[in-house]
Amino acid sequence: MSALQLPLYLNGDAKRSEWSDRILQGDCLALLPNIPDESVDLIVTSPPYADSRKKTYGGIHPDDYVDWFLPISAQLLRVLKPSGTFILNIKEKVVNGERHTYVLELILAMRQQGWLWTEEFIWHKKNCYPGKWPNRFRDAWERCLQLNKQKQFAMYQDAVMVPTGDWAKTRLRKLSQTDLRRDESRVSSGFGKNVSNWVGRELVYPTNVLHLATESSNRKHSAAFPLELPKWFIKLFTQEGDLVLDPFVGSGTTAIAARMLGRHYLGIELLPEYVELAKLVQFNSGNM
Amino acid sequence: MSALQLPLYLNGDAKRSEWSDRILQGDCLALLPNIPDESVDLIVTSPPYADSRKKTYGGIHPDDYVDWFLPISAQLLRVLKPSGTFILNIKEKVVNGERHTYVLELILAMRQQGWLWTEEFIWHKKNCYPGKWPNRFRDAWERCLQLNKQKQFAMYQDAVMVPTGDWAKTRLRKLSQTDLRRDESRVSSGFGKNVSNWVGRELVYPTNVLHLATESSNRKHSAAFPLELPKWFIKLFTQEGDLVLDPFVGSGTTAIAARMLGRHYLGIELLPEYVELAKLVQFNSGNM
DNA sequence: GTTCCGCATGAATCGATAG
DNA sequence: ACTATCGATTCATGCGGAA
């Protein structure tokens, strides 16, 4: 789909409400330029991993990955609001017995591009692919890179608080004065170790290791990542009515998550079959 | 301590048995050159984090971290056996609201130096206290970089097998003891449990995510990692009688772990007070 | 309706084989 | 030598059918 064939609702002059909440089929590098500057509150995406979907996406070679992604991230930087956040779910492949370095290089290159590498969340995959190899174990985690345009960005931490675990109660009982003092010295700022702030509370703030609920909706389609993953980031970085973009929306997981949470969304997907699947699920998820 | 003042047991001509199983006080960059080529089976260390221990180590600025570490890693590359492994526990600091990139740059630089970046294990600090800052949550994980000299290296995967999630869950539920049920028993954990209790049962291989509680003992070394962490890597990458090196041994955690597992060890520590502490613990751990 | 098995299925990786 | 393809390995999970 060329720029000239773009649907009217992607015209930059249109109001957002006229072009959001859709799944677009096409190359995101061709479609992204039609999204207005600084119009997106949150980008959550899981791009095709290097060399891993050769049959479907043509297979980006690990050595070419950074060059392939940088023009896209340049567009994402443009369309993101100054207070917005970009969550990039990615993991390096094993190449010739080594972890490839394209993710490291991508982070460095995106910083040159103007992004701030604010944080790296860890997604612990509970049911990772099985297998046994002579010199490695199963890969059970992926990176969720948090990138921003500014040091100050929108973040709604209270929206993702989690119930206090049993460990907290146990821990509290065991806390001695020396424990408290030691931790106070270890934590230099902010919330710190003021136990009174969380004693008796039912909810606590999570960490940067994603500990999502084990419950997973009965999805019949294969999703790139579980629904809970985009939901968590959408709750954390947006409010109702905000706009969430996924330039590699696949079967629509991010769009569904946004819809469920009352956020506007815009999904882009290259493969028509995924677009159809996404639209189907999108339609069926109306009452979720 | 200059090279001229090196103790006799660090003379390259001496047999390993004459110079191992000791904690040496001094700058590792000055002491490492006296260790013979390709004599170490495993290196496990947690170097001082950038800028985090200004008072004790002089505070390596994040921007200088790579230049500071590369001469050391060059020595480590030399003393490591071809089949050996280097486990580097490290985590980037937040500088000016961003994760600093020195760890990424260090990986790239060490590859230029000849290291292979085989794997990145995640140490998930599962019992760290909740906490929050305006723009981030509590940091609950650290990197354990696995670096090698060759694609083929010694690895004893059977030594770290853990009970299956299903089996453990079922059995523990039938025991109906709250404490046991709460105990982490899934595949991804396996620390802090007496695995011998499960011998003969169904065991599976772990993943590259290590669930491990931070140590709550009264260690004075500020960067001490929990004993289970070096123990796990020592079991995975060495056999009894092998030699384990920690060039930043601190209060001796790696040395204690090696001793407990019947491995030879060599610890290096700059600060005399830590050396004394390490030797004390080393002595007291004789019957552990 | 529950609970309990059995079974298919993965954003995987290695080594061998083939071109 | 270097790349492309295939078989073997492995386990948490969700599902369907059975008790």
Side-chain angles (χ1 to χ4, degrees):
Chain A
M1 175 180 286
S2 73
L4 290 177
Q5 297 171 316
L6 279 175
L8 184 61
Y9 52 79
L10 255 184
N11 185 301
D13 297 329
K15 290 183 180 178
R16 192 189 66 189
S17 58
E18 298 171 16
W19 54 264
S20 70
D21 302 322
R22 297 167 192 269
I23 306 285
L24 304 177
Q25 188 269 317
D27 184 350
C28 68
L29 201 48
L31 291 174
L32 283 172
N34 297 282
I35 298 179
D37 291 355
E38 303 185 350
S39 59
V40 174
D41 294 281
L42 172 66
I43 302 166
V44 181
T45 198
S46 186
Y49 292 5
D51 218 11
S52 65
R53 292 205 281 180
K54 188 171 297 180
K55 294 171 184 173
T56 53
Y57 272 98
I60 303 108
H61 192 280
D63 296 342
D64 305 328
Y65 200 85
V66 175
D67 289 339
W68 169 77
F69 195 77
L70 280 181
I72 298 168
S73 60
Q75 283 297 316
L76 299 178
L77 185 64
R78 183 185 61 78
V79 303
L80 190 66
K81 286 183 183 174
S83 63
T85 292
F86 176 21
I87 296 294
L88 177 58
N89 169 225
I90 198 168
K91 182 64 191 269
E92 48 268 64
K93 295 272 296 183
V94 172
V95 177
N96 203 22
E98 254 189 303
R99 288 286 166 193
H100 200 280
T101 55
Y102 59 85
V103 175
L104 312 184
E105 292 159 12
L106 181 60
I107 295 172
L108 297 175
M110 287 181 69
R111 287 188 76 251
Q112 295 296 318
Q113 204 171 43
W115 291 99
L116 300 179
W117 181 36
T118 304
E119 181 59 301
E120 181 172 331
F121 292 85
I122 293 297
W123 169 30
H124 177 217
K125 295 187 288 187
K126 301 187 187 308
N127 55 336
C128 56
Y129 205 94
K132 177 186 183 296
W133 306 278
N135 44 13
R136 71 178 60 249
F137 289 134
R138 291 178 299 149
D139 191 4
W141 65 278
E142 296 190 11
R143 307 179 194 276
C144 293
L145 307 174
Q146 180 193 342
L147 299 141
N148 291 97
K149 297 176 79 165
Q150 300 178 350
K151 280 181 61 179
Q152 295 294 333
F153 49 85
M155 192 179 197
Y156 310 97
Q157 296 172 316
D158 291 347
V160 293
M161 293 184 80
V162 293
T164 307
D166 284 338
W167 65 267
K169 296 167 188 168
T170 306
R171 192 75 202 131
L172 266 183
R173 251 186 280 123
K174 291 179 180 176
L175 275 181
S176 65
Q177 283 301 321
T178 48
D179 288 329
L180 294 177
R181 235 181 292 118
R182 186 185 65 249
D183 245 66
E184 228 154 357
S185 64
R186 207 167 57 183
V187 178
S188 53
S189 64
F191 184 83
K193 202 71 273 17
N194 192 347
V195 174
S196 65
N197 282 347
W198 55 286
V199 165
R201 281 191 179 184
E202 294 180 354
L203 297 175
V204 296
Y205 293 102
T207 69
N208 57 358
V209 176
L210 292 192
H211 194 357
L212 305 178
T214 53
E215 43 176 301
S216 67
S217 58
N218 44 357
R219 48 185 174 86
K220 291 183 178 178
H221 62 284
S222 64
F225 43 47
L227 188 60
E228 292 299 323
L229 191 66
K231 276 182 73 174
W232 195 81
F233 286 113
I234 289 170
K235 284 189 287 187
L236 178 58
F237 291 114
T238 68
Q239 293 178 304
E240 286 195 18
D242 283 355
L243 176 59
V244 179
L245 168 68
D246 187 343
F248 302 96
V249 77
S251 52
T253 308
T254 301
I256 295 165
R259 185 190 181 114
M260 289 172 68
L261 294 169
R263 273 71 166 175
H264 295 291
Y265 61 89
L266 187 62
I268 301 175
E269 174 55 40
L270 179 62
L271 300 179
E273 55 265 39
Y274 280 147
V275 174
E276 291 308 310
L277 183 59
K279 286 182 176 174
L280 191 66
V281 180
Q282 174 188 6
F283 179 79
N284 290 333
S285 66
N287 293 327
M288 289 175 77
Chain B
M1 176 182 285
S2 73
L4 289 176
Q5 296 170 315
L6 281 175
L8 184 61
Y9 51 77
L10 255 185
N11 184 300
D13 297 329
K15 291 182 180 178
R16 192 188 66 187
S17 58
E18 298 172 16
W19 54 263
S20 70
D21 302 321
R22 296 168 193 270
I23 306 286
L24 304 177
Q25 189 268 318
D27 184 351
C28 68
L29 201 48
L31 291 173
L32 284 172
N34 297 282
I35 299 178
D37 292 354
E38 302 186 351
S39 58
V40 174
D41 294 279
L42 172 66
I43 302 167
V44 181
T45 198
S46 186
Y49 294 0
D51 213 16
S52 63
R53 296 198 289 174
K54 192 171 293 181
K55 294 172 184 172
T56 53
Y57 272 96
I60 303 109
H61 192 279
D63 295 341
D64 304 329
Y65 201 85
V66 174
D67 288 339
W68 169 76
F69 196 77
L70 280 181
I72 298 168
S73 60
Q75 283 296 316
L76 298 178
L77 185 63
R78 183 185 61 78
V79 303
L80 189 66
K81 286 182 183 176
S83 63
T85 292
F86 176 21
I87 296 295
L88 177 58
N89 170 226
I90 197 168
K91 183 64 189 274
E92 47 269 73
K93 296 277 292 184
V94 173
V95 177
N96 202 22
E98 258 190 300
R99 288 285 167 191
H100 200 278
T101 56
Y102 59 84
V103 174
L104 313 183
E105 291 159 11
L106 181 60
I107 294 172
L108 296 175
M110 287 181 69
R111 287 188 75 251
Q112 294 297 317
Q113 203 171 43
W115 291 99
L116 301 179
W117 182 34
T118 304
E119 180 60 300
E120 181 171 333
F121 291 86
I122 293 297
W123 167 26
H124 176 17
K125 296 182 280 188
K126 62 181 180 184
N127 72 336
C128 68
Y129 302 105
K132 92 173 175 58
W133 291 262
N135 282 339
R136 61 182 66 248
F137 290 130
R138 181 127 181 110
D139 191 4
W141 64 279
E142 296 190 11
R143 307 177 195 277
C144 292
L145 306 174
Q146 179 192 343
L147 299 141
N148 291 97
K149 298 176 77 166
Q150 301 177 351
K151 278 183 62 178
Q152 296 293 334
F153 49 85
M155 193 179 199
Y156 310 96
Q157 298 174 323
D158 291 346
V160 294
M161 293 184 81
V162 294
T164 65
D166 274 346
W167 188 92
K169 259 185 264 179
T170 306
R171 288 301 174 188
L172 288 173
R173 187 170 53 192
K174 286 179 179 173
L175 288 177
S176 73
Q177 289 187 10
T178 310
D179 285 346
L180 284 179
R181 196 192 314 150
R182 204 187 304 120
D183 199 348
E184 283 286 318
S185 303
R186 56 181 78 252
V187 171
S188 49
S189 57
F191 291 95
K193 297 187 71 71
N194 189 352
V195 179
S196 64
N197 290 342
W198 307 83
V199 168
R201 309 296 183 180
E202 194 177 351
L203 296 175
V204 300
Y205 295 100
T207 70
N208 58 358
V209 176
L210 315 180
H211 278 251
L212 172 56
T214 54
E215 196 120 311
S216 58
S217 68
N218 52 355
R219 302 235 183 280
K220 292 181 180 177
H221 193 265
S222 50
F225 45 51
L227 187 60
E228 293 299 322
L229 190 66
K231 277 181 74 175
W232 195 80
F233 286 113
I234 289 169
K235 284 189 287 189
L236 179 57
F237 290 115
T238 68
Q239 294 177 302
E240 285 195 18
D242 283 355
L243 177 60
V244 179
L245 167 68
D246 187 343
F248 302 97
V249 77
S251 53
T253 308
T254 301
I256 295 166
R259 185 190 181 115
M260 289 173 68
L261 294 168
R263 273 70 165 175
H264 295 291
Y265 61 90
L266 187 62
I268 301 176
E269 173 56 40
L270 179 62
L271 301 179
E273 56 265 37
Y274 284 146
V275 174
E276 291 308 309
L277 183 61
K279 286 182 176 175
L280 191 67
V281 181
Q282 172 190 9
F283 180 79
N284 291 333
S285 66
N287 293 326
M288 289 175 78

